[in-house]
Amino acid sequence: VNGDSLELLRDAGVRVTPQRRAILDAILGAGAAHPSADEILREARRRLPELSRGTVYNTLAEFVRVGFLQTVETGGAVRYDRNLDEDHQHFRCRSCGRLFDVEVVGQESLDPRLTPGFAVERTRIVLEGRCPDCRPSDHERKE
Ligand SMILES: [Zn+2]
Ligand SMILES: [Zn+2]
């Protein structure tokens, strides 16, 4: 994983620093979990305890600028997404708060009733409910 973050930074022309590597490693380690800045800070500090919150926020902004990440806002804390596909949407578990990537078929044919003067720039759909980990099992539901 360390090799990956080094290569990613170099390929993007971003100067490699221990801080940037620790933050990027924390993001890569989170997989598809869409971590918040605080979650990234906590994880990155395990690698680099002196890391400051300001550095993490500045670095995340830079990573968004160079195209490592996009931000996802679903009402809670801003989350960071390694999946840069503009058309993917999210399912938010109302119990554990995690975000999951989801492809929504037919989103191109949405027909919002907008009054004249509005221009849609992108569509963000957030589905809410319970993830498999948080849903009561079939067994529990029968009781
Ligand atoms: Zn859940
Ligand atoms: Zn996503």
Side-chain angles (χ1 to χ4, degrees), residues 46-89:
R46 289 171 46 184
R47 299 149 212 254
L48 207 64
E50 69 275 19
L51 198 61
S52 78
R53 171 168 302 228
T55 300
V56 170
Y57 277 85
N58 290 337
T59 303
L60 288 172
E62 183 184 23
F63 284 175
V64 170
R65 211 160 50 235
V66 301
F68 285 160
L69 299 173
Q70 64 172 327
T71 54
V72 189
E73 288 160 67
T74 61
V78 173
R79 295 180 169 274
Y80 293 86
D81 197 346
R82 283 274 298 149
N83 183 346
L84 300 174
D85 178 359
E86 283 280 330
D87 289 332
H88 88 277
Q89 308 296 346

Side-chain angles (χ1 to χ4, degrees), residues 1-17 19-32 34-35 40 56 58-72 79-86 88 101:
V1 173
N2 279 351
D4 288 341
S5 66
L6 192 58
E7 271 173 46
L8 272 170
L9 290 169
R10 282 187 179 146
D11 288 351
V14 175
R15 197 163 60 88
V16 177
T17 66
Q19 289 83 1
R20 288 186 179 126
R21 286 197 65 185
I23 292 163
L24 189 52
D25 281 337
I27 294 162
L28 296 175
H34 303 80
I40 293 166
V56 170
N58 290 337
T59 303
L60 288 172
E62 183 184 23
F63 284 175
V64 170
R65 211 160 50 235
V66 301
F68 285 160
L69 299 173
Q70 64 172 327
T71 54
V72 189
R79 295 180 169 274
Y80 293 86
D81 197 346
R82 283 274 298 149
N83 183 346
L84 300 174
D85 178 359
E86 283 280 330
H88 88 277
D101 286 345

